[in-house]
Amino acid sequence: MTAPDIHSQDLTDEDFRTQAQRYVDDFLKLLMIYPSLAVTLVFYPTRKDYEADRRRKHEGPIYKEKNGSRFTLHVCRELLPAITPIALQGWLEHELGLCAQMLQPEFYTINFKQKIFPLMPVTGSAEYIMLELMEHLEAGFKRHLVTRMLLEMGHGLPQAHFYYYRINPEADDHKKYKRAIPHPWSMALLLCARLKEYLPIALLSRMHIDFSHDLEAYWWKVHEYMLPGDRMFLKLIADDAAQQEKTDYPDRIVSMFKLARSHYLNSRQTKPPSKPVIH
């Protein structure tokens, strides 16, 4: 893969704090939304300090917290080893973009009972699985939209570096995938959970951002254990997301849900599991 060496520009702790604050300040000056985005950065040098709050423990190295119209970005230095300045910039800008979405809920909200449930009325555990599936679709599509916004601002390259840095497969990913193969509903959950990473990468590649073609190829290399049909499903979702950008947000999620329904929820005559495969 033709991509930057993520260890080539490791930051000292002082440089890390200084540059992170500068990236946030510079980005907020460029962001033209109403109400304006107010963000405070809080740094934690160690994982122990950062994970003292259990909410942060399960949200990764950067955790955003909303309080009214203000946000706090909690950042753990120890959980971001060897991150380069441009990858740090990309990560922070992406989180700020997600914060901006949260200030405009009228544009990023869908009513499950009105829009999704009538497409596939179910009861019991199946309804909860559908809710979780919709959450994964929304998480992926919101990151797609943030990436699109950053591309329009001319900040595509930091996003490519950010997602390159983020690709860090877990040792049991393949095992989880194999366990889901006999269970279409569980497979739908597992694949849609990958969309928050794949949709932005696919968009960067579609827009020919620097090394993004190699970035997408690398992502597929990491996930080479996926069966052709599952790979095709993710690509179809990415195509659908790109084509649906000018429609209303609920209609975009409905369109992607219909793809999941046709490929996994309806296509095989199996019942949803009472306990979905952990993903």
Side-chain angles (χ1 to χ4, degrees):
M1 172 180 173
T2 306
D5 179 1
I6 62 171
H7 301 286
S8 61
Q9 303 178 53
D10 194 13
L11 297 167
T12 65
D13 288 351
E14 183 177 353
D15 287 341
F16 179 91
R17 293 171 62 98
T18 300
Q19 295 211 41
Q21 188 65 62
R22 178 168 62 83
Y23 291 141
V24 169
D25 292 343
D26 289 349
F27 184 77
L28 292 179
K29 293 175 184 176
L30 297 173
L31 192 61
M32 305 296 291
I33 64 167
Y34 181 84
S36 59
L37 190 60
V39 179
T40 300
L41 277 177
V42 178
F43 296 94
Y44 302 82
T46 68
R47 180 174 185 169
K48 181 179 179 181
D49 292 337
Y50 181 74
E51 294 183 350
D53 186 322
R54 288 192 175 185
R55 296 173 301 171
R56 298 194 292 264
K57 182 176 182 179
H58 300 289
E59 292 295 329
I62 300 180
Y63 171 69
K64 53 186 174 294
E65 182 178 16
K66 186 175 185 291
N67 184 7
S69 61
R70 298 188 61 88
F71 291 85
T72 301
L73 287 186
H74 301 269
V75 183
C76 179
R77 179 65 181 105
E78 185 179 344
L79 291 176
L80 293 167
I83 192 168
T84 60
I86 194 169
L88 177 62
Q89 177 187 353
W91 197 323
L92 289 169
E93 289 180 347
H94 201 94
E95 293 297 331
L96 293 170
L98 292 171
C99 291
Q101 286 182 347
M102 294 171 69
L103 286 181
Q104 300 172 306
E106 65 274 19
F107 297 116
Y108 303 102
T109 303
I110 180 171
N111 187 306
F112 173 79
K113 286 293 186 181
Q114 290 181 1
K115 294 289 187 177
I116 300 295
F117 186 75
L119 298 173
M120 195 170 183
V122 292
T123 58
S125 63
E127 183 174 350
Y128 291 102
I129 295 173
M130 284 177 57
L131 273 168
E132 186 176 356
L133 181 65
M134 187 184 76
E135 290 173 0
H136 289 320
L137 292 172
E138 285 199 85
F141 190 59
K142 285 179 178 179
R143 289 185 177 274
H144 169 96
L145 292 176
V146 166
T147 305
R148 167 66 71 179
M149 178 190 74
L150 293 168
L151 286 169
E152 292 173 351
M153 296 173 67
H155 288 214
L157 183 58
Q159 290 306 294
H161 282 262
F162 159 49
Y163 275 102
Y164 175 52
Y165 180 81
R166 280 293 304 270
I167 297 176
N168 186 26
E170 297 180 5
D172 60 348
D173 280 352
H174 191 184
K175 292 181 180 178
K176 292 178 182 178
Y177 178 82
K178 289 178 67 175
R179 288 200 300 268
I181 289 175
H183 309 288
W185 286 61
S186 293
M187 182 60 77
L189 285 177
L190 186 148
L191 294 175
C192 288
R194 301 289 188 268
L195 291 175
K196 63 183 180 181
E197 188 173 78
Y198 178 63
L199 287 186
I201 290 173
L203 177 59
L204 291 167
S205 181
R206 180 185 294 266
M207 301 303 293
H208 313 292
I209 302 301
D210 204 79
F211 63 93
S212 58
H213 293 300
D214 288 334
L215 173 64
E216 184 180 15
Y218 177 48
W219 194 89
W220 282 119
K221 178 66 175 177
V222 168
H223 297 86
E224 63 183 354
Y225 53 79
M226 288 186 180
L227 295 172
D230 297 330
R231 294 165 64 94
M232 180 57 66
F233 168 71
L234 291 177
K235 292 179 180 180
L236 287 173
I237 289 281
D239 290 342
D240 190 71
Q243 294 167 8
Q244 295 288 332
E245 286 175 351
K246 294 183 179 180
T247 59
D248 292 338
Y249 179 82
D251 293 335
R252 301 167 182 177
I253 302 302
V254 166
S255 179
M256 290 189 288
F257 174 79
K258 287 180 177 178
L259 281 173
R261 181 187 63 179
S262 65
H263 280 74
Y264 298 98
L265 310 186
N266 273 346
S267 61
R268 306 173 204 177
Q269 299 302 315
T270 55
K271 296 181 180 179
S274 57
K275 291 184 179 180
V277 174
I278 297 173
H279 51 274

